Amino acid sequence: GMELGILSKPKLNFIKVSKNYKIMELRKYADVYDAAVVTNYAKNELILKTAKKHVDNNESVLILIIKIEHGKNLEEIASKIKLPVVFIQGSTEADIRTKTIATLNKKTTKCVIATVVFTEGVDIPELNVIINAAGGKSETRTLQSIGRGLRKTATKSNVTIYDVFDPSHRFLIEHFGERLCIYFDNGWL
């Protein structure tokens, strides 16, 4: 699609967070994910400040997450930094999801936080920025997430992708490495 001029090449950017030594001591992946991703205030604030910078520049932003609790935490921080957001999750009614996609595409909604319900089958051609706040290592999920905003339009020739590097635990480092390999394999780095 990129060679045919239908899809744009993603511009990759990385958000590096400070190492948290308390997370390094955790043993179970679920505990690491909760502490490093879902409830990590400093990391989530950094993600939202990155989103706000783009919203203030009249760009639309999609922040992808997995857990509902993570979305609620992001909503709370967004309110504190005065970033208007819409949070879409599995329980969000279909008509609200459809309306949110349309308003994000028109840029009347500037920032959406979404669970995996926005990972597949959602096309937002005018989307400017995608932030992978969920992490993970799945090639399918990573590529599907980026695909939300890859289409070129008359007013948009690229999409900015943010990924988060957190050196706080070997699980996080390994997963980031897997995502980097996906980006390299697709010629985006």
Side-chain angles (χ1 to χ4, degrees), residues 27-42:
R27 299 282 182 232
K28 295 179 182 174
Y29 178 72
D31 295 338
V32 171
Y33 192 83
D34 185 59
V37 177
V38 176
T39 62
N40 187 326
Y41 187 93

Side-chain angles (χ1 to χ4, degrees), residues 113-133:
I113 300 165
T115 63
V116 294
V117 298
F118 265 29
T119 303
E120 281 185 55
V122 175
D123 189 26
I124 312 167
E126 294 295 337
L127 182 62
N128 300 110
V129 179
I130 299 169
I131 300 176
N132 177 4

Side-chain angles (χ1 to χ4, degrees), residues 25-70:
E25 298 169 4
L26 300 172
R27 299 282 182 232
K28 295 179 182 174
Y29 178 72
D31 295 338
V32 171
Y33 192 83
D34 185 59
V37 177
V38 176
T39 62
N40 187 326
Y41 187 93
K43 179 192 285 187
N44 289 326
E45 183 180 47
L46 190 56
I47 288 167
L48 288 164
K49 284 182 176 180
T50 300
K52 188 172 187 334
K53 176 182 73 170
H54 288 280
V55 166
D56 290 348
N57 197 33
N58 200 34
E59 295 176 301
S60 54
V61 179
L62 176 61
I63 302 171
L64 295 168
I65 61 166
I66 294 174
K67 295 195 169 198
I68 293 169
E69 181 186 354
H70 190 193

Side-chain angles (χ1 to χ4, degrees), residues 154-172:
T155 60
K156 185 193 92 171
S157 61
N158 60 44
V159 63
T160 301
I161 308 294
Y162 282 93
D163 201 322
V164 182
F165 174 64
D166 186 339
S168 300
H169 198 280
R170 68 178 179 85
F171 292 145
L172 304 171

Side-chain angles (χ1 to χ4, degrees), residues 138-152:
S138 163
E139 180 175 10
T140 302
R141 197 184 88 58
T142 299
L143 293 175
Q144 285 175 335
S145 299
I146 291 170
R148 300 313 97 218
L150 277 182
R151 188 183 301 165
K152 277 188 178 182

Side-chain angles (χ1 to χ4, degrees), residues 66-77:
I66 294 174
K67 295 195 169 198
I68 293 169
E69 181 186 354
H70 190 193
K72 290 178 180 178
N73 292 338
L74 287 167
E75 270 187 312
E76 186 178 314
I77 296 167

